[in-house]
Amino acid sequence: MYRVISRQYHSTKGVFGFIPKPPKEFQLDKRIIDARAQYSKAYRWVESFRNHAHRVASINPVPFQEPAKTESHLLDYSRYGLSRYDSVDLFGVVKSDSVSALTVEQLEQLLREIYCGTSSIELAYIENEYEREWLAENYEQLFHTTLPSSDKKEIAKLLLKSQAFDNFLATKFPAVKRYGGEGAESIMAFYRQLFLCAAEADLSNIVVGMPHRGKLNVLTTLFQTRPVKIFRKFKGLPEFPADAKAMCDIANHFNTSTDLNINGKTIHLNMLNNPSHLEAVNPVSMGKARAKQLSLHDGPYQLNPTSSSSKVVNIQLHGDAAFVGQGINQECLMMADVPHFDVGGSIHMIVNNQVGFTTPGDRGRGTRYASDLAKSIMAPVFHVNGDDPEALTKITKLAFAYQQKFGKDVFIDLNCFRRWGHNELDDPTFTSPLLYNVIHNRSSVPDLYAKKLLESGDLTQTDIDTVVKNHHEFLNSELQSVNTYQPEKSYFERQWSGIQQAGNEITTWDTGVNYSLLNFIAQSSVKHPEDFALHPHLRKHHVEARLCKIAEGNRIDWATAEAMAIGSLMYQGYHVRISGEDIGRGTFSQRHAMFIDQNTNEIYIPLNDLEGGAGGKLELANSILSEEAVLGFEYGMAIDNPNNLVIWEAQFGDFFNGAQIIIDTFLTTGETKWMVCNGLVMLLPHGFDGAASEHSSCRIERFLQMTDSKETTPDGDDVNFEVINPSTPAQYFHALRRQQVRNYRKPLVVVAPKTLLRLSECVSTHAELAPGTFFQTVIGDATVSDPKKIKRVILCSGKHYYNLNNERQTSKNGEVAIVRLESLCPFPVQRIQEELAKYSNLREVVWSQEEHRNMGAWSFVQPRFENMCGKRITYRGRCEGSTIAVGVSSWHAKEAEEVIKSAFQ
């Protein structure tokens, strides 16, 4: 007999960062069920509109060919056995404020107004009956409301201002690519309504990820960014004060962090910096929103949860071609309801230009809609004609209500157009002549809407002229201020106050901790409730072994040192988050920071019951099988608050390359482009152990090439990020603690071990963790008894040291010293010189590495060593190669032996 396992892997009781969502019970009213049974033909017909009318709705503002008629038959009432004059009771069939019964002919007119106009909805694929019923009812109710005249005026003014801004830039900066909002001005109506809804719901934070299209328009019109900042950038001037160590970026990548006052409510708005790599900002915005929840003890981090509702909302804008084409979007959607990545649902808008760069939509995807990816997570989609900002306003209100009620993602597909080409200097008629014939011969969205309000009497021509004139004068005054405007310092504020940019020297930070506290932390890391059914293997080889090692104090292994570092930071009040694939136990089954009850599947995280201290918590975020979106999410977590230590662990170091876009455009460049610092740690397991190409190398050479380390002058702490290859548990301990105790934040790449996790020689003593100890950028050779006998120094890094040391012991070579470079960047010139100075009879320095000559650290180390240490250094290691490692075990063994022996020859 089979037993159904209904309990999920994540605890039904909840763990830090995860509050289980109780199932929502829903039962359709029996009266409605009876009514639908009585009018079953009519109900099937109405359902056809709800499910299929979007196919024939008037959502395209620039049709250049007749729409296909082949699907309109799905809405034909005769198909469902109805005739024109049949009477239908509306109760249970359609939500209407009109009379309770209509003829089929009258009902058809109502349905076509609702579902075939300038907006429509897709919901047939949503499994949850409650959601479908709620959406249908509330969508149908939209059409019984009319916007007040005051709202229409405000929307028109925003659209006209957006158009005036684009016209102003076209006149004053004709040679600049601005990626304006022309054709998509209705975005203004979306943001306006969003802010109103957020204020009404008493939200505290809005986090926005948005690409180039129309970004400058919303920044200057709605997001309180002074136009002079944009104009100054267009004039070729920097956006930061002179004392900022920044290389700056283009205006279309700007961010904002500001407080909005909406109807007397203060809402903090973050629009994030975005790179030109489209859609890459989306997971970053999700991570930033999640971090806001952590800081506010909100959403999944509530201390006394009554629900999983949140005061933070995440907004993502997409391009139509980019949303379909960039795989990061699927990864983000797959995280939407994953514990520890759930942000309570994001509100998405696809700014659907119907052309991507120069590719028409029908050749840019294989689906009907650009939004079809939303169906993978059963998120409802609203299609809206960009010419109708009033419909968009209503849909925005409904989308927000859905996200708030169900805590799920929702999509608005804004069908609009791009007035010019990919940018204003591009001619789109080369590739889309018919489409642009329509675009160039039609009025603009703001002009069409203003004309509509003129005809209805909601606006006068004087109103329109005044809005345009006043905004033009405002923009002109901002332009005149370019030469006198001094960029404001917009960084290291709020939660980042007290943090500063790193200096140009290398500083040392005391990261040692009293061992009595570390002993207590290590013991706490393996405690569990008495009735907890711990795996017997863990009980013996993890729990009992750890207790034994910490009692001795001289055989502290890698995982224990990590637990001590994390626990001590928690004790000081820092939150720690580790994210990655199966990080609870660790890829190599070494961490076991998370215990699973063998009988109930319940989770227990021992360190979160750590007694005393300042209340820091450990969040273990087992991620989906993604690198790019997950690392982007963690980067977003890291940039929000310097008091959170965020760690991302690749399953193997090689797999970081799936996240290369995030590394290139955010992690390594965020501070120098945008003055956005972060202390994210990347753990990349590395080592040549015979596991062939994709399980050996974290590509040290790539990370070192991406640093701004200098070849001819010493590095300081102000390198763009740090790369270390630690060889002892104590070094790893200090590196993690150093991330938080410093007064600046830098990303850290840890070339992490595999074999060292259990290597008997790779242990540390309690003395190496004591107060006054710190991360050593270089570890000298403590085994040398007579420095005068040393004729050769082998420089190496990481786990390679142990292989070299074993060979030295075997060969009993007393003329060789082995010096370890624990820090590769910043390059520790002074410490290397101090070590070499010990050996007065030194004749030769060699660099030994496991990697091929064109890989690893050799090409980084050689010029720096020779230029600044004044000595030649020779190479010992594998020869050049095109593949990381051989795939034949006997070849690997032979190569490994030759690499080690060559260092001593």
Side-chain angles (χ1 to χ4, degrees):
M1 182 176 181
Y2 293 100
R3 182 166 63 97
V4 177
I5 304 295
S6 59
R7 182 162 293 172
Q8 295 182 353
Y9 176 65
H10 274 78
S11 173
T12 57
K13 300 174 183 176
V15 293
F16 181 71
F18 170 63
I19 299 174
K21 297 178 182 178
K24 290 185 173 68
E25 299 295 333
F26 174 73
Q27 181 63 50
L28 198 61
D29 191 298
K30 186 177 185 302
R31 293 176 303 163
I32 294 177
I33 295 174
D34 292 342
R36 290 177 178 178
Q38 182 179 356
Y39 295 96
S40 59
K41 294 178 182 179
Y43 177 63
R44 289 175 56 222
W45 178 47
V46 170
E47 281 290 282
S48 75
F49 274 86
R50 291 169 177 163
N51 295 337
H52 306 298
H54 60 86
R55 305 183 190 181
V56 296
S58 301
I59 57 175
N60 189 357
V62 285
F64 61 89
Q65 57 189 15
E66 285 295 316
K69 302 294 185 183
T70 55
E71 293 171 314
S72 60
H73 69 281
L74 295 172
L75 308 180
D76 188 342
Y77 53 78
S78 64
R79 181 184 176 92
Y80 303 93
L82 297 168
S83 61
R84 178 184 299 181
Y85 299 110
D86 286 346
S87 179
V88 178
D89 191 325
L90 298 186
F91 179 77
V93 177
V94 64
K95 189 70 176 178
S96 174
D97 287 347
S98 61
V99 293
S100 59
L102 294 176
T103 65
V104 166
E105 185 177 43
Q106 292 171 324
L107 181 55
E108 180 180 37
Q109 181 180 354
L110 176 63
L111 289 171
R112 289 192 179 277
E113 287 176 2
I114 294 174
Y115 287 103
C116 301
T118 55
S119 69
S120 197
I121 185 174
E122 284 190 272
L123 47 70
Y125 48 86
I126 297 176
E127 292 179 0
N128 187 286
E129 183 184 21
Y130 182 27
E131 290 182 34
R132 290 199 312 276
E133 292 289 336
W134 187 92
L135 283 163
E137 177 177 342
N138 284 273
Y139 179 77
E140 288 161 7
Q141 284 182 327
L142 288 179
F143 294 86
H144 307 310
T145 61
T146 302
L147 293 185
S149 179
S150 57
D151 284 6
K152 295 177 183 179
K153 289 180 180 178
E154 286 187 25
I155 293 170
K157 289 177 181 178
L158 288 174
L159 267 60
L160 290 167
K161 284 182 178 180
S162 179
Q163 179 170 263
F165 179 77
D166 280 322
N167 291 342
F168 185 85
L169 292 187
T171 302
K172 302 298 183 180
F173 302 95
V176 172
K177 301 174 184 178
R178 64 183 185 275
Y179 303 98
E182 292 155 297
E185 289 94 345
S186 290
I187 293 174
M188 296 293 177
F190 164 75
Y191 277 120
R192 174 189 172 273
Q193 185 58 49
L194 180 73
F195 294 161
L196 291 173
C197 289
E200 186 177 351
D202 202 26
L203 299 193
S204 61
N205 289 83
I206 298 174
V207 180
V208 179
M210 181 180 180
H212 305 51
R213 178 91 159 98
K215 186 174 186 179
L216 301 183
N217 302 61
V218 297
L219 276 173
T220 56
T221 307
L222 282 168
F223 291 5
Q224 300 183 354
T225 298
R226 285 189 60 184
V228 66
K229 182 177 178 180
I230 310 298
F231 301 155
R232 177 181 167 89
K233 190 66 191 178
F234 285 168
K235 290 278 191 179
L237 300 171
E239 62 268 29
F240 297 118
D243 61 347
K245 298 178 182 179
M247 296 177 69
C248 302
D249 201 0
I250 62 173
N252 299 96
H253 297 174
F254 281 3
N255 76 322
T256 188
S257 176
T258 187
D259 286 331
L260 302 176
N261 188 293
I262 310 295
N263 291 341
K265 302 283 185 67
T266 299
I267 302 174
H268 189 71
L269 171 75
N270 286 100
M271 173 183 272
L272 302 183
N273 299 99
N274 63 292
S276 287
H277 205 115
L278 299 175
E279 309 295 318
V281 73
N282 299 335
V284 179
S285 72
M286 293 171 68
K288 176 85 168 178
R290 174 107 188 170
K292 291 293 182 191
Q293 294 173 334
L294 174 58
S295 296
L296 296 169
H297 302 296
D298 176 58
Y301 299 105
Q302 294 177 60
L303 301 178
N304 298 298
T306 55
S307 72
S308 58
S309 62
S310 175
K311 297 291 186 183
V312 182
V313 66
N314 174 231
I315 310 299
Q316 297 178 36
L317 270 72
H318 313 276
D320 51 322
F323 184 70
V324 171
Q326 296 297 309
I328 194 172
N329 291 309
Q330 177 181 328
E331 295 178 24
C332 287
L333 292 183
M334 289 304 109
M335 291 194 296
D337 200 34
V338 173
H340 305 289
F341 295 89
D342 179 5
V343 296
S346 298
I347 299 175
H348 303 258
M349 170 179 275
I350 297 175
V351 182
N352 193 342
N353 300 317
Q354 307 184 65
V355 60
F357 193 41
T358 65
T359 305
D362 61 339
R363 274 162 277 170
R365 62 178 184 270
T367 62
R368 178 189 294 270
Y369 297 119
S371 58
D372 281 339
L373 192 59
K375 297 174 182 176
S376 65
I377 60 168
M378 291 178 283
V381 176
F382 300 99
H383 302 283
V384 186
N385 189 317
D387 278 352
D388 192 346
E390 292 181 22
L392 178 58
T393 296
K394 296 177 181 180
I395 291 299
T396 301
K397 189 172 184 178
L398 178 55
F400 182 88
Y402 173 86
Q403 181 270 338
Q404 288 288 293
K405 183 173 183 63
F406 295 100
K408 288 185 57 180
D409 289 52
V410 59
F411 280 77
I412 298 173
D413 175 23
L414 181 65
N415 289 266
C416 51
F417 60 93
R418 200 175 61 194
R419 172 64 68 179
W420 311 112
H422 176 64
N423 58 68
E424 290 74 17
L425 310 183
D426 181 37
D427 186 352
T429 60
F430 293 145
T431 54
S432 299
L434 297 184
L435 173 63
Y436 274 88
N437 183 55
V438 174
I439 291 172
H440 290 159
N441 286 284
R442 56 154 286 164
S443 299
S444 71
V445 177
D447 288 346
L448 280 177
Y449 188 59
K451 181 181 178 183
K452 176 185 175 181
L453 297 192
L454 274 175
E455 294 171 350
S456 66
D458 291 294
L459 276 182
T460 66
Q461 187 62 49
T462 301
D463 293 333
I464 296 170
D465 294 342
T466 300
V467 169
V468 175
K469 177 176 178 292
N470 288 348
H471 200 57
H472 187 276
E473 289 177 352
F474 166 66
L475 295 174
N476 209 43
S477 67
E478 288 286 287
L479 181 61
Q480 299 303 315
S481 302
V482 165
N483 294 329
T484 58
Y485 171 76
Q486 294 299 316
E488 315 94 0
K489 180 183 176 183
S490 57
Y491 39 89
F492 302 139
E493 297 177 338
R494 297 176 182 262
Q495 66 268 33
W496 283 85
S497 60
I499 300 296
Q500 60 191 42
Q501 278 197 290
N504 57 9
E505 70 289 336
I506 293 180
T507 54
T508 299
W509 299 82
D510 181 352
T511 46
V513 178
N514 187 287
Y515 192 68
S516 62
L517 176 58
L518 294 181
N519 192 320
F520 166 71
I521 289 169
Q523 290 182 47
S524 300
S525 73
V526 289
K527 275 187 177 179
H528 53 85
E530 290 184 5
D531 61 348
F532 194 90
L534 189 66
H535 194 290
H537 180 84
L538 291 187
R539 186 180 303 279
K540 179 178 180 180
H541 297 285
H542 180 70
V543 176
E544 294 176 4
R546 176 167 293 182
L547 291 174
C548 180
K549 290 174 183 177
I550 60 176
E552 294 176 8
N554 58 7
R555 292 193 300 123
I556 299 167
D557 61 16
W558 205 273
T560 303
E562 180 185 75
M564 288 175 167
I566 290 171
S568 61
L569 289 171
M570 293 166 59
Y571 202 82
Q572 291 176 250
Y574 298 106
H575 293 307
V576 180
R577 174 182 166 99
I578 310 178
S579 169
E581 295 146 19
D582 208 5
I583 48 78
R585 68 157 211 175
T587 295
F588 308 100
S589 198
Q590 86 286 359
R591 180 172 291 123
H592 296 296
M594 171 192 294
F595 292 160
I596 311 296
D597 190 298
Q598 298 299 294
N599 296 328
T600 66
N601 233 26
E602 292 290 340
I603 284 176
Y604 179 68
I605 300 174
L607 279 177
N608 278 337
D609 280 342
L610 185 65
E611 295 179 1
K617 292 291 185 180
L618 171 62
E619 182 172 17
L620 297 173
N622 281 314
S623 75
I624 65 172
L625 191 63
S626 153
E627 283 78 40
E628 184 179 2
V630 170
L631 184 59
F633 192 101
E634 303 311 319
Y635 174 82
M637 292 282 295
I639 61 174
D640 185 69
N641 196 320
N643 294 320
N644 302 331
L645 175 61
V646 180
I647 301 172
W648 178 71
E649 183 175 60
Q651 198 169 67
F652 285 87
D654 315 58
F655 302 162
F656 83 88
N657 56 15
Q660 191 70 59
I661 291 168
I662 301 298
I663 294 167
D664 288 348
T665 58
F666 288 100
L667 195 70
T668 63
T669 58
E671 182 178 349
T672 53
K673 286 192 297 189
W674 308 318
M675 289 297 291
V676 174
C677 297
N678 78 94
L680 187 140
V681 176
M682 292 176 62
L683 303 180
L684 307 179
H686 172 94
F688 284 56
D689 309 314
S693 297
E694 277 76 54
H695 296 84
S696 298
S697 175
C698 73
R699 291 289 195 172
I700 297 173
E701 67 279 1
R702 290 188 187 173
F703 287 102
L704 293 176
Q705 185 202 24
M706 287 188 286
T707 70
D708 56 4
S709 170
K710 305 172 184 64
E711 288 190 3
T712 56
T713 56
D715 291 331
D717 292 331
D718 56 351
V719 291
N720 59 331
F721 69 102
E722 299 180 352
V723 182
I724 65 171
N725 193 0
S727 61
T728 73
Q731 285 285 84
Y732 179 48
F733 169 90
H734 290 299
L736 290 181
R737 286 189 46 76
R738 187 180 64 167
Q739 282 297 97
Q740 296 304 103
V741 304
R742 296 189 291 199
N743 61 355
Y744 63 90
R745 294 291 180 264
K746 289 287 180 179
L748 174 66
V749 173
V750 179
V751 182
K754 295 181 288 181
T755 58
L756 296 191
L757 296 173
R758 292 180 176 84
L759 188 68
S760 58
E761 303 104 287
C762 184
V763 291
S764 296
T765 68
H766 66 84
E768 295 173 272
L769 311 176
T773 57
F774 49 86
F775 178 80
Q776 300 180 65
T777 57
V778 173
I779 297 180
D781 196 333
T783 66
V784 174
S785 57
D786 186 357
K788 293 181 180 179
K789 292 183 179 180
I790 300 301
K791 297 179 180 179
R792 173 180 296 193
V793 167
I794 301 175
L795 289 179
C796 66
S797 192
K799 58 91 74 172
H800 191 49
Y801 162 78
Y802 294 94
N803 296 328
L804 291 169
N805 192 43
N806 287 340
E807 174 64 20
R808 179 175 59 174
Q809 291 174 348
T810 301
S811 63
K812 298 181 180 180
N813 191 327
E815 296 183 346
V816 173
I818 305 175
V819 175
R820 288 173 267 178
L821 265 66
E822 302 285 290
S823 170
L824 293 167
C825 181
F827 191 69
V829 175
Q830 182 177 349
R831 284 288 296 116
I832 294 172
Q833 291 173 332
E834 290 171 357
E835 287 301 319
L836 296 183
K838 296 177 181 178
Y839 309 115
S840 56
N841 293 319
L842 180 64
R843 296 179 183 176
E844 185 180 18
V845 180
V846 302
W847 172 260
S848 180
Q849 66 179 35
E850 294 184 299
E851 301 82 11
H852 291 285
R853 184 174 184 136
N854 56 315
M855 303 172 194
W858 164 245
S859 59
F860 180 86
V861 169
Q862 183 196 21
R864 287 161 180 79
F865 181 88
E866 293 186 349
N867 289 337
M868 289 182 278
C869 294
K871 297 180 182 294
R872 290 292 303 276
I873 187 170
T874 55
Y875 174 79
R876 297 289 188 273
R878 285 173 169 82
C879 63
E880 292 80 0
S882 57
T883 302
I884 295 290
V886 296
V888 179
S889 59
S890 59
W891 296 355
H892 166 76
K894 183 179 179 182
E895 280 187 358
E897 182 182 6
E898 290 175 351
V899 166
I900 297 302
K901 290 188 178 299
S902 69
F904 294 88
Q905 293 170 354

